[in-house]
Amino acid sequence: MKRCTSALLQRTFSVQPVTRYRCRTYTVLAQRIEQIKTRPEPFPLQHEPLVKSRPDPYTIVAPELLHLRGSLLGLLGSAHPGLSEIARYYFLHPSKQLRSLVVLLFSRATNGLGGNWEQKRWGAEREASTGLSEELDRPLTLPDVLNNWHPSMPNDTASFETPFDLRPPGMHRVPDSPPPPATRNQSLPQLTSPPLLLPVQIRLAQIMEMIHIASLLHDDVIDSCTFEAEPPEGFGNKLSILGGDFLLGRASAALSRLGESEVVELVAGVISNLVEGEMMRMKCVRTPGLGQLEGPQSLEEAWSAYLKKTYLKTASLLAKSARAAVVLGGCREGEIWKDVAYAYGRNIGIAYQLVEDTLDYEAGSTNPMPGLATGPAIYASEEHSELLQLMRRNFGDQGDVELAIDYVRRSSGVERTRLLARTYANKARDVLRSLPDSDTKIALDVLTDHVVNRTW
């Protein structure tokens, strides 16, 4: 009897596997699965594909940005001591170098796409082989400040120790022929691989940094209609004006070496725009024929004047420098890359300034100065109608600034201005869809988030 019972148990367990749930019956297929894996694995996070991090816009061109700042100091380091001190103060001051960054990123994102790219690259290689590319970075000497070196002049033009003698022109070697421009029926344009920045594009970034610093120096000049107040802290009015003019002169000299008339026109337009925008920002402008110019008389006029000023003072430099970078990369008339660059720079520039105009209010500062109303104040005037009267006189009366700050803080003006900045940043992101996929394109996308989410 015991032998029969043992045989029955052995036969039973050899057919049905022992499981955790003895009351449950399994099909043949289920039994096979259970024998292979008796319990589930933990959630397999380690088996998921890793998500590639989005490239940081500053990291992707970090060596070039470092070179820009260092070479600018070298370029101006041996000029007049007063001018050198001003340049060193501003160029070594912590800065996000947004304007240089946009130039370098758009250069990387479009080089190779333009129909004249091969000619541009050939020109850069030839310039490097002849040593001409080193002349722009050559440190200035005092004689050079008085009589700047020019490639078509003999070397002794910088000396004033002896009389200058005319010399017959020498024989010139016939230059090599550049490669022919690309034809329209070729295959779709491709980005250069690996990414390549041309020396003229790096110089353009330097030029735009010079112009930006020059505008900061000129902005430091006392903002008063009568100029009766004490000079501002720092270098004083006269030295600030001279320093800004010196940088504009050096930027103009460097600009002439880029060899593109469209780029010269774009950068010259930036300088004019900066002056126009600064005049709009001033709290009062008096002219013999018009007298004192008043502020906007309605909300519509206020928005129109504010956004126009924002473009002239901030967005113009970003938009035109990005377009100029693409032109230097060989983009021809009728190709879309120039328009993409301009649209991106224009939108991100306006977004940047909108955020800039909210930071003073968010930090609890009283920095807002008399002058044209900014986004937070215009939005606040929709909730506090008394603000419109202050805007009409450009906050020029005693106590207007403090009263305006109080109205803004008791409104949703700051939050709504931030939302408007996000709208412009999204528009900048949208135009990037026309560019070929690349890490630089993603970095430009990331930059739009940096601009609107910044606290600096």
Side-chain angles (χ1 to χ4, degrees), residues 15-50:
V15 175
Q16 297 181 357
V18 178
T19 66
R20 199 172 295 119
Y21 305 99
R22 297 188 178 183
C23 60
R24 181 179 299 173
T25 59
Y26 291 87
T27 65
V28 175
L29 179 61
Q31 291 177 28
R32 292 176 181 172
I33 296 175
E34 188 67 11
Q35 289 173 352
I36 297 173
K37 185 182 293 185
T38 59
R39 65 174 62 185
E41 287 186 350
F43 190 74
L45 284 177
Q46 66 274 20
H47 296 166
E48 294 290 329
L50 295 177

Side-chain angles (χ1 to χ4, degrees), residues 13 53 112 116 119 127 188 195 202 205 209 232 242 265-266 274 289 298 309 348 379 407 413 427:
F13 287 110
S53 59
N116 291 333
Q119 292 177 301
E127 189 175 80
L188 293 176
I202 296 178
E209 199 70 22
L242 292 175
E265 183 178 353
L266 286 168
L274 288 170
S298 66
K309 184 273 303 180
I348 201 174
Y379 274 130
Y407 282 132
K427 290 293 184 182

Side-chain angles (χ1 to χ4, degrees), residues 280 296 300-310 372-373 378:
M280 291 185 66
E300 291 76 13
E301 289 183 19
W303 275 117
S304 177
Y306 170 59
L307 292 176
K308 181 180 179 181
K309 184 273 303 180
T310 299
L372 194 65
I378 300 175

Side-chain angles (χ1 to χ4, degrees), residues 425-434:
N426 289 339
K427 290 293 184 182
R429 177 182 288 112
D430 289 342
V431 302
L432 295 176
R433 296 175 182 175
S434 301

Side-chain angles (χ1 to χ4, degrees), residues 198-395:
L198 299 178
V200 289
Q201 293 170 325
I202 296 178
R203 292 174 196 169
L204 175 66
Q206 292 175 321
I207 291 169
M208 304 319 291
E209 199 70 22
M210 284 179 170
I211 293 175
H212 173 59
I213 297 300
S215 71
L216 294 181
L217 282 164
H218 287 162
D219 287 349
D220 278 349
V221 177
I222 189 168
D223 187 8
S224 171
C225 296
T226 60
F227 294 94
E228 293 176 351
E230 292 294 325
E233 294 183 2
F235 302 104
N237 283 345
K238 188 170 184 178
L239 199 52
S240 294
I241 293 173
L242 292 175
D245 291 347
F246 175 74
L247 288 177
L248 288 177
R250 292 308 304 150
S252 300
L255 180 63
S256 67
R257 297 290 308 280
L258 297 184
E260 280 285 351
S261 59
E262 183 177 353
V263 173
V264 173
E265 183 178 353
L266 286 168
V267 177
V270 169
I271 298 174
S272 299
N273 292 157
L274 288 170
V275 174
E276 294 177 85
E278 180 60 23
M279 293 187 67
M280 291 185 66
R281 189 190 66 84
M282 293 171 59
K283 72 174 182 179
C284 54
V285 178
R286 291 193 179 98
T287 63
L290 299 177
Q292 180 171 327
L293 303 182
E294 296 182 345
Q297 301 301 302
S298 66
L299 287 178
E300 291 76 13
E301 289 183 19
W303 275 117
S304 177
Y306 170 59
L307 292 176
K308 181 180 179 181
K309 184 273 303 180
T310 299
Y311 169 78
L312 294 172
K313 279 284 291 178
T314 305
S316 170
L317 194 152
L318 286 164
K320 294 181 178 180
S321 62
R323 183 182 178 95
V326 177
V327 172
L328 291 175
C331 181
R332 295 187 294 192
E333 192 65 33
E335 294 178 333
I336 194 175
W337 320 118
K338 293 192 291 186
D339 295 333
V340 171
Y342 179 86
Y344 178 89
R346 184 179 187 272
N347 287 321
I348 201 174
I350 293 177
Y352 177 91
Q353 189 59 50
L354 288 169
V355 174
E356 184 79 8
D357 292 336
T358 68
L359 294 178
D360 287 330
Y361 293 104
E362 291 178 339
S365 172
T366 57
N367 284 344
M369 299 294 293
L372 194 65
T374 60
I378 300 175
Y379 274 130
S381 67
E382 298 179 3
E383 304 173 30
H384 303 281
S385 58
E386 301 87 350
L387 254 176
L388 184 58
Q389 185 61 36
L390 307 183
M391 290 163 52
R392 287 171 177 164
R393 57 177 180 258
N394 284 332
F395 308 103

